Amino acid sequence: MAATVYVLNGPNLNLLGKRQPEIYGKDTLADIEAACRALAGELGLELVFRQSNHEGQLVDWIQEARERADALIINPAGYTTTSIAILDALLACSIPILEVHLSNIHKRESFRQHSYVSLAATAVIAGCGSHGYLLALRHAARLLAAR
Ligand code: CA2
């Protein structure tokens, strides 16, 4: 059976491509999903791709991924720096967790530079734009092949 990778996206990422392209790029979230689906197909992975503006919804999906996924890719967006609830949900997972940020958060305002999510992440990709999702997917495939 194909391994399943969940890709979860946090608040305001539904606005990608519509504002601030100089920071987040021109791709919409639908573009990113399509690119992830194409690569997942090549890599033989099942993909679940979701976005929510709500912390509790993201916690529910992380708990779902804990039961159903083989790896989890997450861009927690604004919850990166605030959410102990998301961190706790991630810490309860025993699958690889890949944290993705479109922008290089370490080069930005200091409040963006501390990630609670990184405490649970297997790896972090920041500053590669939408390509970061594809790098994360490839890394997930590599980790899963080495199991
Ligand atoms: O660089 C990233 O991927 C971020 O996770 C994006 C978050 C930001 O809070 C993090 O510090 C870094 C913001 C996502 C909001 O995206 C927008 C896109 C277009 C217009 C407005 C917001």
Side-chain angles (χ1 to χ4, degrees):
M1 208 171 70
T4 299
V5 178
Y6 272 48
V7 182
L8 300 182
N9 295 280
N12 297 307
L13 287 166
N14 53 313
L15 298 176
L16 280 179
K18 294 170 184 137
R19 290 192 53 196
Q20 297 183 278
E22 67 289 355
I23 301 175
Y24 299 120
K26 283 190 279 189
D27 288 344
T28 65
L29 198 61
D31 294 332
I32 294 173
E33 178 174 357
C36 286
R37 286 205 180 284
L39 181 59
E42 279 174 37
L43 296 170
L45 299 170
E46 286 289 329
L47 191 80
V48 173
F49 192 102
R50 296 180 186 157
Q51 186 274 333
S52 177
N53 292 328
H54 304 281
E55 186 176 21
Q57 179 66 84
L58 291 162
V59 169
D60 285 345
W61 286 341
I62 293 164
Q63 290 188 12
E64 184 183 304
R66 177 177 174 273
E67 301 287 337
R68 299 193 192 162
D70 297 285
L72 170 61
I73 296 169
I74 184 164
N75 183 345
Y79 289 134
T80 307
T81 53
T82 63
S83 181
I84 306 289
I86 287 175
L87 170 62
D88 286 342
L90 293 170
L91 288 172
C93 295
S94 52
I95 54 176
I97 294 166
L98 308 174
E99 178 183 354
V100 172
H101 298 284
L102 294 153
S103 62
N104 179 359
I105 54 174
H106 304 290
K107 202 174 148 186
R108 299 186 63 194
E109 303 98 318
S110 57
F111 65 84
R112 294 187 196 277
Q113 293 177 16
H114 176 263
S115 168
Y116 283 113
V117 167
S118 293
L119 292 170
T122 309
V124 182
I125 297 168
C128 300
S130 59
H131 189 60
Y133 284 78
L134 303 180
L135 293 172
L137 209 44
R138 283 194 187 278
H139 192 57
R142 188 183 166 87
L143 292 173
L144 294 173
R147 276 190 303 192

